[in-house]
Amino acid sequence: MFALRSLFRSAHIRYAAASQFHATSNCSGAKVAVVLSGCGVYDGTEIHEASAILVHLSRGGAEVQMFAPDVSQMHVIDHGKGQPAEKESRNVLSESARIARGNITDLAKLNVSNHDAVIFPGGFGAAKNLSTFAVDGKDCKVNKEVERILKDFHKAGKPIGLCCISPVLAAKVLPGVDVTVGHEEEEGGKWPYAGTTQAITALGAKHTVKEVTEAHVDKKNKVVTTPAFMCETKLHLIFDGIGAMVKDVLKLSGK
């Protein structure tokens, strides 16, 4: 009987702790815009990253609205072959609607006054559809609506979250911003996109080395970044790093 009472007491303590965790994390009320770039890692949004962002925002009690530009993709990649699909074209807004379960809005309609923060998932779409970074590197151009949004949120002092390759957008648009895309050496293939750090510094931004489970906060500019799939590692570690980013974004939003 004593053992049974101890078991129930232990279960009650664990339940109370879990309840307290969810009650604490589900109290934000922040209105967060999430900007997508298509659907699929090689030509659009990295789906795991988008999903992780949405889960952490939901747990944080945020109200989310998803946006994407109404433009054609740079190209379409056959994800099974890893090669361009010839004579095929897709629209970024329409493709992003797959992730948003149809609830997607044209990026041109995003108004900073209606939101407390904005977050950009990664995926090659950020470097192909939201900018020309995949082709032009440090000499890239950023989609005019993406540039407007980054500048508007920055001017308003509202936090900006970016993960994976998308920090290059901030590096291009916001002078002197401090971001992370992980490590600065490939380390035997663990960080296959480490060369991105050179482009970031060439743009006049600062790069800070962080682990995949960490987020980096540029407090001056209210920009929060995390490496995500810039690192070849286990999915749950990427999920944790994105969670750290979302937590810091919500904290900076003041909600």
Side-chain angles (χ1 to χ4, degrees):
M1 180 63 73
F2 175 76
L4 188 60
R5 285 199 300 269
S6 297
L7 180 62
F8 281 128
R9 186 181 302 113
S10 177
H12 175 73
I13 291 171
R14 288 197 300 271
Y15 174 78
S19 298
Q20 180 61 35
F21 169 76
H22 288 297
T24 300
S25 60
N26 192 29
C27 61
S28 167
K31 294 182 178 179
V32 181
V34 175
V35 180
L36 305 178
S37 60
C39 182
V41 56
Y42 298 128
D43 58 12
T45 305
E46 212 302 318
I47 299 171
H48 294 292
E49 292 178 6
S51 181
I53 288 167
L54 296 173
V55 169
H56 286 296
L57 286 172
S58 176
R59 178 162 287 168
E63 180 182 332
V64 177
Q65 187 174 3
M66 285 175 269
F67 297 85
D70 187 5
V71 297
S72 296
Q73 292 184 182
M74 173 185 149
H75 59 187
V76 178
I77 298 294
D78 181 326
H79 280 60
K81 298 177 181 179
Q83 298 175 350
E86 299 297 333
K87 298 181 180 179
E88 186 173 350
S89 63
R90 297 187 183 182
N91 177 274
V92 175
L93 181 62
S94 296
E95 288 297 293
S96 297
R98 296 175 181 271
I99 297 175
R101 297 174 61 86
N103 190 12
I104 194 82
T105 303
D106 187 343
L107 190 59
K109 297 180 180 178
L110 198 168
N111 190 317
V112 65
S113 65
N114 297 329
H115 302 276
D116 301 303
V118 63
I119 296 180
F120 291 79
F124 279 91
K128 293 179 177 180
N129 304 328
L130 303 188
S131 73
T132 64
F133 182 81
V135 176
D136 300 323
K138 66 180 181 63
D139 297 317
C140 69
K141 295 181 180 179
V142 175
N143 173 279
K144 64 179 183 179
E145 292 298 338
V146 172
E147 182 175 2
R148 173 185 65 82
I149 289 157
L150 288 170
K151 288 181 176 179
D152 285 354
F153 274 83
H154 182 257
K155 183 177 180 180
K158 295 183 177 182
I160 300 167
L162 311 104
C163 66
C164 194
I165 191 65
S166 66
V168 300
L169 302 173
K172 178 68 177 182
V173 174
L174 305 177
V177 70
D178 188 352
V179 300
T180 190
V181 291
H183 285 207
E184 297 175 349
E185 300 293 336
E186 290 191 12
E187 300 176 19
K190 182 178 180 181
W191 296 91
Y193 309 106
T196 304
T197 62
Q198 297 175 14
I200 286 172
T201 55
L203 286 167
K206 180 180 178 182
H207 183 263
T208 297
V209 172
K210 287 289 182 178
E211 301 300 328
V212 70
T213 55
E214 298 178 308
H216 177 62
V217 181
D218 178 345
K219 294 182 179 179
K220 178 182 177 181
N221 292 296
K222 288 192 175 182
V223 172
V224 186
T225 49
T226 191
F229 276 101
M230 298 298 273
C231 181
E232 288 288 339
T233 190
K234 294 181 178 180
L235 180 60
H236 72 275
L237 299 177
I238 291 167
F239 184 88
D240 291 346
I242 289 174
M245 177 193 70
V246 169
K247 181 180 179 181
D248 285 332
V249 167
L250 294 179
K251 183 178 180 181
L252 286 173
S253 76
K255 298 293 183 177

